Amino acid sequence: MIAIVLGTRPEIIKMSPVVRECEKRGLDYFVLHTGQHYSYEMDRIFFEELELPRPKYNLDVGSGTHAEQTGKIMIGVEKILMQEKPKIVLVQGDTNTVLAGALAAAKLHIKAGHVEAGLRSYDKRMPEEINRVLTDHISDFLFAPTEVAKQNLIRESISENSIFVTGNTIVDAVYQNLEIAKKKVSVLKELNLKPKEYFLVTTHRQENVDVRERIKGIIRGLELIHNEFAIPVIFPIHPRTQKRIEEFGFNLNGVTLINPLGFLEFLQLEANAKLVLTDSGGVQEETCVLGVPCVTLRDNTERPETLEVGSNVLAGTKPERILGGVKLMLNKRNNWKNPFGDGKAGERIINAIMSEVGT
Ligand code: UD1
Ligand code: UDP
């Protein structure tokens, strides 16, 4: 039996190809949702749109400090793993859910498989970097999306036998859903937007939005862009960011704030954007896959493949540098090759664990 542990928006999206593969093969598996994300538009909307089976369990841990959240998840996951006794636990990415899920499994001597292993920003200010490094070192199966990620793991003395280069499941998710998005949703019309005549923005990194100067810099950068290009700047706002902007009492000028969107709507907005500004991990990858230029509002990235192929540039959070990054990317040709695989990552991940689960 396979246990799939997930808890946040990007995990639901990036695990969807693995869930679909389990369904397709009729495997014995279950989904354990930790409840780290719980608002409708951060959680249930993705199960509905992607037509995923409802999780068998939901721990409803909700929000809290890092230790509270991680601890609660570990306690809840452990109980269920002791009952269900799966052969392997799969986790995806770098959230508190991922570390807590893998750690609970490892302590029970249940095999853990880390989807999207080997990413490194080498920046310990990021809670995600701590989660990634620890999860990689306690997992038995490391599903590296690229050769770069594999080499990061090898440099940390992780056994090559446990590493599988699979591609990133985000490519599977984009390929599986882009056509559906085109047919099913008409978000551009609803927002009164024309293809390639708007910018799209997301930001939610703790080290950006919890720090007054950094979030202020981003907001000012967006204003500069709006003044320079005179086209809409669309910003589906993450609940963390919404909360901080209210607390800091900032006004946003020239920016259209909207609620977080479903994956199909967001994918359609991304595919048609002139350029995307983000501090999201998944969005850096998706824009690269979709051939849309990206400006990353960070000082580093654990997705260096996007910089190498030229789909992305690091701009930090200073207004002038953000504007400079946009101008630079708009002067380039969008003819890079997607480095994140062929959309068959889900299939490869399940192939790799078949001997373990024995079904
Ligand atoms: C988490 C992950 C981050 C990931 C992001 C994806 C960690 C340490 N962080 O960050 O790596 O990139 O998810 O979006 O695991 N909130 C709601 N509704 C929700 C969820 C959150 O209102 O459904 C609000 C709460 O005020 C909460 C805040 O957002 O305190 C932050 O939520 P949390 O899950 O702690 O971190 P994220 O910033 O979402
Ligand atoms: N996303 C979405 N709706 C939105 C914003 C993002 O569906 O309004 C999707 C996006 O397509 C990507 C994922 O959410 O697949 C990225 O999640 P997020 O930025 O929250 O987390 P990260 O990737 O940084 O961990």
Side-chain angles (χ1 to χ4, degrees), residues 9-10 13 46 94 170 202 204-205 236 238 260-263 266 270 279-283 286:
R9 167 167 79 184
I13 294 169
F46 301 105
D94 52 22
I170 197 63
T202 81
H204 72 280
R205 293 257 86 80
H238 188 287
L261 295 165
F263 186 54
F266 190 77
E270 251 180 321
D279 62 12
S280 157
V283 175
E286 282 164 359

Side-chain angles (χ1 to χ4, degrees), residues 283-303:
V283 175
Q284 291 175 64
E285 293 158 354
E286 282 164 359
T287 46
C288 185
V289 174
L290 292 166
V292 174
C294 182
V295 171
T296 292
L297 307 166
R298 289 176 45 189
D299 306 319
N300 54 49
T301 179
E302 57 292 311
R303 274 92 175 167

Side-chain angles (χ1 to χ4, degrees), residues 36-39 63 95-96 128 204-205 238-240 243:
Q36 177 171 347
H37 281 179
Y38 46 85
S39 300
S63 309
T95 66
N96 289 343
E128 291 84 1
H204 72 280
R205 293 257 86 80
H238 188 287
R240 174 190 281 273
K243 202 166 125 189

Side-chain angles (χ1 to χ4, degrees), residues 2 10 26 51 73 82 100 107 152-153 157 187 197 204 223 231 296 300 318 328-329 337 355:
I2 304 166
E51 296 179 11
I73 298 172
M82 279 161 48
K107 291 286 182 80
N152 290 341
L153 294 169
S157 306
V187 64
E197 290 186 24
H204 72 280
E223 248 172 66
I231 57 172
T296 292
N300 54 49
K318 298 228 159 66
L328 178 85
M329 287 308 294
K337 206 170 154 268
S355 59

